[in-house]
Amino acid sequence: RAIFLRAGRDTLARRFVRALGTNDDALLDAIYDPDVVLYTPLAWPVRGRDDVKAFVAQFHAANPGCA
């Protein structure tokens, strides 16, 4: 099995899913570089960690109860 699927491991993939799913600013700060450029099917490019956090917040506002 791939490393990121092992039970009990707090991998980058799991932290990414948790950060997006919970709109956790502190976790988003921990996993994204301040100069990140994020490409998603919904918006691209999203430039900078602050804009990524705004994008995640907008996603949650537009999709309440999604997480």
Side-chain angles (χ1 to χ4, degrees), residues 29-41:
D29 283 339
I31 64 174
Y32 283 108
D33 185 83
D35 298 321
V36 65
V37 179
L38 178 69
Y39 292 87
T40 79

Side-chain angles (χ1 to χ4, degrees), residues 51-62:
D51 286 349
V52 168
K53 292 186 329 188
F55 167 74
V56 173
Q58 290 171 4
F59 179 84
H60 278 268

Side-chain angles (χ1 to χ4, degrees), residues 17-28 52-61 67:
V17 169
R18 191 168 62 244
L20 258 48
T22 62
N23 193 19
D24 183 333
D25 276 349
L27 190 50
L28 289 166
V52 168
K53 292 186 329 188
F55 167 74
V56 173
Q58 290 171 4
F59 179 84
H60 278 268

Side-chain angles (χ1 to χ4, degrees), residues 1-14:
R1 287 176 71 151
I3 291 173
F4 65 88
L5 294 177
R6 289 187 186 154
R9 288 188 53 119
D10 193 24
T11 64
L12 179 58
R14 286 184 177 165

